[in-house]
Amino acid sequence: TSELEASQKEARQYSTEMFKLKAQYQESQESLEAVHRENKNLSDEIKDLMDQVLTRLTLEQGWVDNIED
């Protein structure tokens, strides 16, 4: 019947839309994971730079240009 055909067509359209949305969701998840990795890398780099800065700053002498081990 035409009602059945219309329902099947509608179901196919919803199914197509669902697959598109699923693909977009997966792509956004991958992008989010990449952003998290980059954020972690930048955070680690900032920590390393802060450690370098703080090792050159002493309470007694202030800023030290040459650090002798």
Side-chain angles (χ1 to χ4, degrees):
T1 67
S2 63
E3 189 174 322
L4 175 60
E5 291 172 1
S7 294
Q8 288 174 335
K9 181 179 178 183
E10 185 178 13
R12 284 191 297 273
Q13 290 171 340
Y14 284 132
S15 179
T16 299
E17 184 66 20
M18 182 190 69
F19 284 117
K20 287 179 185 177
L21 290 172
K22 183 179 178 184
Q24 289 174 348
Y25 175 77
Q26 289 173 336
E27 186 177 328
S28 68
Q29 288 299 107
E30 291 169 5
S31 295
L32 181 61
E33 289 171 9
V35 168
H36 282 160
R37 283 191 301 274
E38 182 64 17
N39 189 41
K40 173 76 168 86
N41 291 339
L42 291 171
S43 177
D44 290 345
E45 188 174 339
I46 289 169
K47 182 188 178 303
D48 291 343
L49 291 170
M50 289 299 295
D51 288 345
Q52 290 175 25
V53 167
L54 293 176
T55 59
R56 298 182 73 174
L57 182 64
T58 65
L59 292 175
E60 299 82 22
Q61 300 173 345
W63 185 258
V64 178
D65 284 329
N66 293 319
I67 302 240
E68 296 179 15
D69 294 313

